[in-house]
Amino acid sequence: MNRPESWKTWLPLLGLLVVFALITAVWPSLANAFSLPSLSFGGGTTTAIPYEPEPIHLEAIKTSLAAGPLAAAAEALPDTLSPFVALAVVAGVIIGGVVVVGGGLSFIVRLLSGIRDSTVESEAYRAHQSALEQRQREQLKQMRDGRTTDPMPSHKMPRWSVVSNALITLMFVGFATMVMVRNFFPEGVTEMDGRIVNITTPVFAVFALITLIIMGLRLRPQKIEAVDETDFGKIPWDFIAVLITGLIMLGLGIGFMVYINAG
């Protein structure tokens, strides 16, 4: 709103709002006076209803104002007011308020912007700005003199890599344990010596212990840290072939056990 061309944006919008408000307010009386057809969106014909504008009564407002310091103004008010006159008064108040408030704010913003621009472009301000920057550079130089920076610590944490890989491996061991146990014991429990015994927990504990022993022997932080050095080595196709073959045999074995158990 502080630009000189801003009125080209908000003034047409304000004018459209006023025009549509006036058309909405006076359309019933115009349609009744000139026998204009009423709009119908449901199809068919419509019958125009006679319309007579009802005056607005101001007795309550005059009574409330008469008890205060505005008694003289209350006496000057009429008893009734035409809706068109009331609409014009309200529109004038709203438009006048918008124009006055918007013009006042625009004047204040332009005044402050001009003061700021003149201050920034003045020689005194530039001199003070240069002196402030020079003082800050000197303070930074004094703070840096005699200080040494510590070397940046290493961000490699192979131990956490071992922990995260171990947790992920134990999660898959748990999934495999549940699949295998539920094939032989669908409920996950069995009866031993007249007692109901949970099968899943001890089986998972055994498999998890075996997995942890193997990872303790094979998965070391030094090996994980050395991966970056051998990252560009040859692809171990032999290991991949053995791994895929073992997974296929394991899947076929589990499927065969499921088929036998279901039969």
Side-chain angles (χ1 to χ4, degrees):
M1 298 296 290
N2 57 346
R3 296 182 179 180
E5 302 294 329
S6 61
W7 63 271
K8 294 182 179 180
T9 301
W10 59 263
L11 188 58
L13 296 177
L14 184 60
L16 288 175
L17 290 176
V18 174
V19 170
F20 281 117
L22 292 174
I23 293 175
T24 303
V26 303
W27 176 258
S29 60
L30 291 177
N32 186 41
F34 296 99
S35 299
L36 296 176
S38 301
L39 296 177
S40 175
F41 298 96
T45 60
T46 58
T47 303
I49 299 176
Y51 173 77
E52 294 183 1
E54 183 178 355
I56 300 174
H57 300 278
L58 305 178
E59 287 84 357
I61 299 177
K62 294 179 64 175
T63 303
S64 61
L65 294 177
L70 300 177
E75 292 295 336
L77 291 176
D79 295 335
T80 59
L81 189 64
S82 173
F84 303 109
V85 177
L87 177 63
V89 172
V90 173
V93 171
I94 294 176
I95 296 174
V98 171
V99 172
V100 171
V101 175
L105 290 176
S106 177
F107 174 75
I108 294 174
V109 169
R110 290 184 180 181
L111 179 61
L112 295 177
S113 179
I115 295 174
R116 175 192 172 277
D117 294 339
S118 61
T119 302
V120 171
E121 294 176 359
S122 63
E123 296 295 335
Y125 176 83
R126 294 180 179 179
H128 288 296
Q129 185 70 18
S130 300
L132 178 61
E133 293 177 355
Q134 181 65 26
R135 191 182 305 113
Q136 290 178 348
R137 287 193 293 267
E138 293 176 356
Q139 290 178 354
L140 291 175
K141 183 178 179 181
Q142 293 177 0
M143 294 173 62
R144 291 174 180 174
D145 290 342
R147 291 188 177 184
T148 58
T149 57
D150 297 331
M152 180 172 32
S154 176
H155 292 78
K156 296 181 179 180
M157 303 180 69
R159 294 182 180 179
W160 287 108
S161 300
V162 172
V163 172
S164 60
N165 282 279
L167 293 176
I168 295 173
T169 305
L170 289 176
M171 180 184 67
F172 284 105
V173 169
F175 292 158
T177 302
M178 293 180 62
V179 172
M180 295 178 62
V181 170
R182 292 304 172 93
N183 286 327
F184 298 100
F185 303 95
E187 300 296 331
V189 295
T190 186
E191 183 179 357
M192 296 179 62
D193 298 332
R195 296 182 302 172
I196 302 299
V197 180
N198 186 3
I199 299 298
T200 306
T201 302
V203 173
F204 171 73
V206 173
F207 287 165
L209 180 60
I210 296 174
T211 304
L212 289 176
I213 293 174
I214 296 175
M215 287 191 298
L217 296 176
R218 301 290 300 174
L219 191 62
R220 297 294 181 88
Q222 294 80 6
K223 292 184 178 181
I224 295 179
E225 191 174 3
V227 170
D228 294 336
E229 300 177 0
T230 60
D231 191 22
F232 301 99
K234 296 176 61 177
I235 300 176
W237 293 111
D238 298 337
F239 173 76
I240 294 175
V242 173
L243 179 62
I244 294 176
T245 305
L247 292 176
I248 293 175
M249 296 301 296
L250 179 61
L252 293 175
I254 294 175
F256 182 69
M257 286 188 294
V258 172
Y259 175 76
I260 293 177
N261 189 36

